[in-house]
Amino acid sequence: MPLLTWQLWLARLACIDFPLPWQSTQDKLSPGRVAQAFPLILATIGTPAQPPKTRGKSPGRAQGHQPPSRKRYPTVKKHASKKPKTEESLNKADSTAA
């Protein structure tokens, strides 16, 4: 945190005040106002990193190559289906209930 404060204090002279509509202009910028203008400072300084190198486009699938169709598997059911009720089982249920 102290390094950040020092960085903002030292960058105070290099930044231009662009107040938001509800802010008043300031002669001596506060650290918060410098932090608000800091992206403009970083854009003018630039970066020491080199731009990324393009690696080209991958060749893709060879001309005329057709991959084999994938293997199909049967559907897996979690439980067996219920047996349909027959007339005999319904008659037995009625006779035991009575």
Side-chain angles (χ1 to χ4, degrees):
M1 187 68 182
L3 293 176
L4 177 67
T5 306
W6 274 105
Q7 185 179 19
L8 292 175
W9 185 78
L10 292 172
R12 180 174 54 165
L13 300 174
C15 66
I16 301 168
D17 187 24
F18 290 114
L20 295 172
W22 59 86
Q23 294 174 333
S24 61
T25 57
Q26 293 179 348
D27 294 333
K28 293 183 180 179
L29 298 178
S30 65
R33 193 65 72 89
V34 175
Q36 182 179 333
F38 211 72
L40 296 173
I41 295 172
L42 293 178
T44 57
I45 292 173
T47 177
Q50 295 179 353
K53 296 179 182 178
T54 57
R55 297 295 180 189
K57 191 175 178 183
S58 61
R61 192 174 287 154
Q63 183 106 15
H65 173 74
Q66 288 191 345
S69 58
R70 65 188 190 92
K71 187 176 178 182
R72 303 291 178 162
Y73 294 96
T75 305
V76 177
K77 295 184 178 181
K78 291 188 176 184
H79 56 81
S81 60
K82 294 182 180 180
K83 294 181 183 178
K85 294 184 178 180
T86 60
E87 288 184 28
E88 292 177 11
S89 63
L90 289 175
N91 291 339
K92 287 181 184 177
D94 288 337
S95 62
T96 55

